[in-house]
Amino acid sequence: MNNGTVIAIMFSFTFAGGAMAAGDSQQALAIQSAGQIYSVPQAAYQPDRKSTYKVVFDLTQAAVKPNQLSPALERVARTVNLYVNAGVPLQHLKFVAVAHGAATSIALDEAHYREQYGTANPNLPVIEELRKAGVDIAVCGQAVAEHHYAYEWIDSRVTLALSALTTIMDLQQQGYALTPL
């Protein structure tokens, strides 16, 4: 065997065995359409698989372009994937994501998003997956009105909240940790 053959065999053996090098993407995700993560099983501060996690995400970031996914929604998907990848069951994740400000438009249904921005709403597939994973996606009713959207334009998978302010404060009173995005 020459050196090239030995190196090729070693390379094949290393990756065929499922060993993950730093930076290798984790494939088993709860949310497939967003929130890519990397498996780091040797990392410190792993989530407790038996704990329940209550988090309210304050979504204020809009995408740079209307045909792009909201970076805030991307981070919610990533958070779900991180906890599930660490072995925390979905039913132990009590997550609520509240959109307002620049992120308000993520809640628009397909027809009205297209009417407003001339493109499909790239957030809806992720919202659908997050809902299936048990995440409540809400939008601030005050922000909807301030953006001159009709309440009927909100996608049926999104919860219409009185306001982001009251929703976030109420959830914090119930023990939810606040994560601004």
Side-chain angles (χ1 to χ4, degrees), residues 7-85:
I7 291 171
I9 290 171
M10 288 174 57
F11 183 81
S12 297
F13 179 73
T14 300
F15 288 100
M20 294 188 76
D24 285 346
S25 176
Q26 173 61 35
Q27 299 303 314
L29 304 174
I31 310 301
Q32 293 291 317
S33 60
Q36 181 178 350
I37 62 166
Y38 301 92
S39 184
V40 189
Q42 71 278 20
Y45 303 109
Q46 294 284 341
D48 179 356
R49 296 173 181 192
K50 295 178 182 170
S51 291
T52 296
Y53 295 90
K54 296 166 69 173
V55 180
V56 57
F57 297 92
D58 184 10
L59 309 184
T60 60
Q61 296 177 5
V64 175
K65 297 178 183 176
N67 65 342
Q68 297 174 336
L69 178 65
S70 160
L73 204 56
E74 168 77 27
R75 298 287 292 200
V76 174
R78 175 175 279 193
T79 305
V80 171
N81 285 338
L82 284 166
Y83 276 95
V84 170
N85 180 256

Side-chain angles (χ1 to χ4, degrees), residues 96-171:
V96 178
V98 185
H100 63 106
T104 304
S105 65
I106 71 170
L108 289 174
D109 64 24
E110 188 64 46
H112 292 95
Y113 194 93
R114 188 175 295 280
E115 183 179 299
Q116 293 286 313
Y117 299 104
T119 187
N121 186 342
N123 303 288
L124 294 180
V126 179
I127 289 172
E128 174 74 23
E129 281 192 82
L130 287 166
R131 292 299 291 215
K132 287 180 181 175
V135 178
D136 185 17
I137 308 298
V139 65
C140 172
Q142 306 305 302
V144 170
E146 288 169 0
H147 282 83
H148 305 287
Y149 301 151
Y151 295 122
E152 297 78 32
W153 296 0
I154 302 305
D155 190 83
S156 63
R157 295 164 285 200
V158 177
T159 302
L160 179 62
L162 170 62
S163 74
L165 289 170
T166 57
T167 301
I168 290 168
M169 286 183 213
D170 286 348
L171 290 170

